[in-house]
Amino acid sequence: MLRKAEIDRIEATLEEMFPDAFCELIHRNPFELVVAVALSAQATDVLVNQVTPGLFAAYPDPASLAAAPIEEIEDKIKRLGLYRNKAKNIKALAAQLLAQHDGEVPTERAGLEALPGVGRKTANVVLSVAFDVPAFAVDTHVERVSKRLGICRWKDNVTQVEATLMRRFKRERWSKLHHQFIFFGRYHCKAQRPNCEACPLLDMCREGKKRTKGLATP
């Protein structure tokens, strides 16, 4: 387990590297955000941002999306993986917002997680970004970085990773750190080609040490 000084160093380094980290999914309101995050499963934010402008221009609110033919929704998001299932989910999500929430996105976790296509990660993002509720959403970048740096164990599942991150970092920092972990994983500590040689946290990184072993010049 990392010492508090090491946790503090990670936090300070991420703040120095990515002080302005933010949610890169383009949205104008909570409805657009929850749909965009639901669409982002197994898809990059870049690709989601390419399809959502047309989707939201055609269906700017839950009523129009719920009423749309499923084939039309599929056509607008067909560049995304699993687009048929995602189209079904966001149409059902919109219908549920109308039927149970007067067309408004719930501001509490239980209501969000009850929506079709919305799991804990999506709920955490919406709570944090749309409603300023401290949350530590764990996506593939957050999980990868937290395990490489030794904050979490390799065998930990997503729920365990989230619990560990919430325990090791102060609550008021969760939302910002979530985005900073994502930026670090997306632009620096990449899955396939991490920039280990230039990493200020290399001496703490289990995988980085393995990747750079033997690369140092005498």
Side-chain angles (χ1 to χ4, degrees):
M1 179 180 294
L2 297 184
R3 300 184 300 272
K4 183 180 184 303
E6 294 171 315
I7 291 292
D8 291 344
R9 179 186 166 194
I10 292 171
E11 182 174 345
T13 300
L14 295 182
E15 177 64 26
E16 181 178 355
M17 293 180 69
F18 303 106
D20 301 316
F22 63 99
C23 176
E24 293 189 297
L25 289 170
I26 298 172
H27 64 282
R28 296 171 295 186
N29 52 57
F31 167 67
E32 292 188 356
L33 178 62
V34 72
V35 171
V37 181
L39 293 176
S40 70
Q42 300 184 41
T44 66
D45 287 2
V46 171
L47 186 54
V48 173
N49 287 338
Q50 290 173 359
V51 304
T52 51
L55 180 72
F56 295 142
Y59 318 119
D61 51 46
S64 55
L65 182 57
I70 191 67
E71 295 80 11
E72 291 185 8
I73 300 174
E74 290 177 352
D75 185 64
K76 294 187 181 303
I77 67 170
K78 62 185 178 182
R79 296 175 62 188
L80 301 176
L82 307 174
Y83 73 92
R84 287 191 175 89
N85 192 55
K86 290 178 179 179
K88 180 180 67 176
N89 280 338
I90 63 173
K91 179 178 171 68
L93 179 154
Q96 191 162 314
L97 290 179
L98 292 172
Q100 299 182 12
H101 303 284
D102 296 322
E104 300 294 327
V105 176
T107 60
E108 36 75 35
R109 180 180 301 281
L112 284 167
E113 291 190 11
L115 296 172
V118 175
R120 186 173 180 86
K121 186 204 80 171
T122 299
N124 277 339
V125 173
V126 175
L127 287 171
S128 171
V129 175
F131 303 122
D132 294 320
V133 176
F136 217 129
V138 178
D139 70 353
T140 180
H141 299 296
V142 175
E143 182 177 7
R144 179 174 68 254
V145 169
S146 64
K147 290 182 176 180
R148 283 180 174 176
L149 292 177
I151 302 171
C152 303
R153 302 171 299 178
W154 291 116
K155 66 180 181 179
D156 285 350
N157 59 37
V158 173
T159 302
Q160 291 171 318
V161 170
E162 181 185 341
T164 298
L165 292 172
M166 291 192 298
R167 185 174 66 252
R168 299 308 306 273
F169 295 98
K170 294 179 180 178
R171 188 174 189 271
E172 60 267 23
R173 290 283 293 137
W174 292 350
S175 296
K176 182 67 176 292
L177 277 167
H178 155 69
H179 296 302
Q180 290 173 330
F181 267 77
I182 289 176
F183 270 51
F184 188 77
R186 181 175 288 160
Y187 301 114
H188 181 81
C189 189
K190 301 176 183 179
Q192 299 300 323
R193 294 184 178 179
N195 190 13
C196 297
E197 291 82 358
C199 184
L201 297 173
L202 176 60
D203 61 302
M204 298 177 60
C205 180
R206 296 175 288 187
E207 183 163 339
K209 290 177 182 178
K210 294 178 182 178
R211 287 176 176 269
T212 58
K213 185 176 181 179
L215 296 182
T217 56

